[in-house]
Amino acid sequence: MLASQSTAPTAKSDRFGNPIDPVVGYARGAIIDSSIAEGRRLRHGQAIAAERVRAAGADAVAVYTGNQRDLPLRVEDLATYAEEWVGPGLFAEELRQAAIGHLGGRPEDAAAVFNRTTAGIIAVIGALSAGKPVVSIVPVNARSHASLPRGSRLAGVQCLESGIDGDWRNLIEMHQPALVVVTTVTSSLERLKDEDTIAAAKFAQANGAVVLLDEAYGARLRTVLHGGAPSLQLGADLSITNCDKAGLAGPRAGILVGRPPLVAAASAKASEVGAEARAPIAAGALRSLQSFDPQDLLTESQSGQQISDALEARLGAVVERSDLGPMVHEDDIHAIALQRAGQDRTTLVPSETASALGALLLRDHGILTVNTHGQPGARVSLRLKPTLDALRRTGGPLKVAAAVDESLDALAAQFHDTDAISTLILGS
């Protein structure tokens, strides 16, 4: 489509001039042209992983998404807590106390569990935006999760976003939102300082807004790795975190804690559309909170830094470091593939190049990333965030870095063949 001679990206295009979809933050192409195609990519990735496991056992796949996704129920939970009619009543107070403790809530706060953090965010927007624009505040040079603009669209309101260094105060004063969402740590692990979060929450509340913290990562990453304050001690009305990342083992779920009337409204909205967590998932979330060990997150972080060292030695300055492991931007992956293929242009866009790289990493090396297993709208950069036993399964950081390098070569060898790339990403 466009020459490999890149230009500075703008808010509307990537380095290769491809127009960026403002909802997901990357350019779509002929292969990954919609959420439907992203769903096909996920199903094909699942098929690749299943084939490896059938052939060589569970250790043939290692998860590098940062999401553990276990279901830590006890045997005795199956006939009690996991039972749909009586179970939720049995563990409701136990769950509330565990969630309040985890997120630093007030003694009177309520808690609710959703089938995904995304579902919880969308439910909060639907319940509390009150027909007014939602103001989103994010770290510098970052963006919120796609659930914010999508949730706002479903609620029939605008989503107005600003970096913490931007004009968020003017947005709040001008639009008088009923809801302000502050993302403390993004999925790419850009992070707000606690004092900035406190200032944003205080200003928003002074202007009459309810404040939700998106703490999917932040509830543990800020506190364990950076000594930050517990989530709700930053002054917000609500906080939501993810149950299967940054040291929590799973299941996939979102845990919301905050002022009881606000939690009740979000829970009701979720129930209207089937986004609440059913009893087995909510019980699993309870057990995950109860078994949380900060050392698990420290171990994941240490493993990620080892991979960063090894990958940087092979790829150089394109490797960005985060608290949980290395990241290579999709534009850089695209540029490397073009250079190694000896091409100066292609009809592919960077999101497709990164997805093809993810398919090769999974098929040939058992390295499972969001590039094959991300939900529609997930970031498309290469992010290697190892779960607890991922390094053991793949043989250590040097082998992971070598796998990325070899997969880039394999990608370059067929970069001229868009049909082959399409098959890599979506299957036959």
Side-chain angles (χ1 to χ4, degrees), residues 10 62 77 82 93 103 108 155 189 274 351 363 396 402:
T10 70
D77 292 337
E93 180 60 16
L103 290 173
E108 69 275 14
L189 305 186
S351 63
R363 187 194 70 187

Side-chain angles (χ1 to χ4, degrees), residues 51 65 70 77 86 127 132 147-148 180 207 231 422-423:
E51 185 176 345
T65 65
D70 294 335
D77 292 337
V86 178
K132 299 180 179 181
S147 58
L148 266 73
V180 171
N207 281 270
S231 185
S422 180
T423 300

Side-chain angles (χ1 to χ4, degrees), residues 5 18 157 192 285 294 332 426:
Q5 184 65 40
N18 301 299
V157 300
L192 284 181
D332 291 313
L426 302 179

